[in-house]
Amino acid sequence: MLLKNNQIFYSMKKVILFSVLFVSTFLFSQTDYSSVSQLPDYVVLKKKMKLDNVVTKADTPAEFPGGMDNFRRQFAEKMDIIDVKSNSIDTRVYFIVEKTGYVRSVAATGSDKKHSDAAEAAVRRLFVKWKPATINGEPVRYLYTFPLTLKKKLKSS
């Protein structure tokens, strides 16, 4: 009985997290920067990632199989459930889609270390080959960046 209750609790937490990520509080978009050095977290990133020959703009950006809606869904499924103390968490996730189409470097920065670590882990768990970004028809190393914002809905009394 205890095992079944734990499974139900875990399933409900997963459904709630998925709903929160998908319904209204999950802001997800490729942010447009003309060069890597313009990134708000450039100083941190250059310590964590090899940024040589990385572009933030391409003729054709990197594409996840099935599109970005599929990426968002799979990302949400892979994201660990964490206990969030604050009412709002802002995280910026960065990853490089290599010329081969595989993601090799992932970094996340933000207001909550646990959340940033969970976001990094979720991207790493998506070991899927992307269609690489191209410039003049040639594959390039492409830095994908997106904000991930979670806001708790406050319960009214």
Side-chain angles (χ1 to χ4, degrees):
M1 183 67 168
L2 182 61
L3 181 61
K4 186 173 183 174
N5 286 341
N6 284 342
Q7 289 173 333
I8 291 170
F9 177 72
Y10 179 74
S11 294
M12 287 181 68
K13 280 181 78 174
K14 197 76 162 165
V15 167
I16 290 168
L17 174 67
F18 190 75
S19 297
V20 166
L21 288 174
F22 243 72
V23 177
S24 63
T25 60
F26 186 89
L27 302 175
F28 185 97
S29 63
Q30 170 69 13
T31 307
D32 198 18
Y33 298 100
S34 59
S35 76
V36 175
S37 62
Q38 289 182 330
L39 295 168
D41 300 309
Y42 175 70
V43 173
V44 173
L45 291 178
K46 70 180 184 177
K47 293 176 185 175
K48 292 183 168 187
M49 306 171 96
K50 185 179 176 195
L51 297 173
D52 300 336
N53 302 316
V54 171
V55 298
T56 56
K57 284 188 172 183
D59 297 339
T60 306
E63 294 176 32
F64 189 80
M68 290 313 295
D69 286 340
N70 188 36
F71 176 81
R72 283 190 288 272
R73 183 179 52 72
Q74 289 190 35
F75 177 86
E77 289 172 1
K78 302 290 185 190
M79 182 86 170
D80 287 338
I81 297 170
I82 57 170
D83 186 24
V84 177
K85 303 279 188 240
S86 64
N87 290 330
S88 177
I89 296 177
D90 294 310
T91 301
R92 191 171 299 272
V93 183
Y94 301 90
F95 57 91
I96 298 172
V97 179
E98 297 290 348
K99 293 178 184 183
T100 60
Y102 289 105
V103 173
R104 295 287 181 232
S105 298
V106 181
T109 62
S111 58
D112 185 279
K113 177 144 175 47
K114 283 184 182 178
H115 189 260
S116 294
D117 291 346
E120 277 186 32
V123 172
R124 290 181 204 282
R125 289 181 188 128
L126 290 172
F127 193 73
V128 175
K129 186 172 183 176
W130 291 58
K131 182 178 178 188
T134 61
I135 295 177
N136 297 324
E138 295 295 320
V140 292
R141 298 181 76 221
Y142 186 77
L143 182 71
Y144 208 98
T145 177
F146 62 90
L148 176 61
T149 301
L150 295 175
K151 294 181 181 176
K152 282 186 183 177
K153 290 184 181 181
L154 300 176
K155 295 178 183 178
S156 51
S157 316

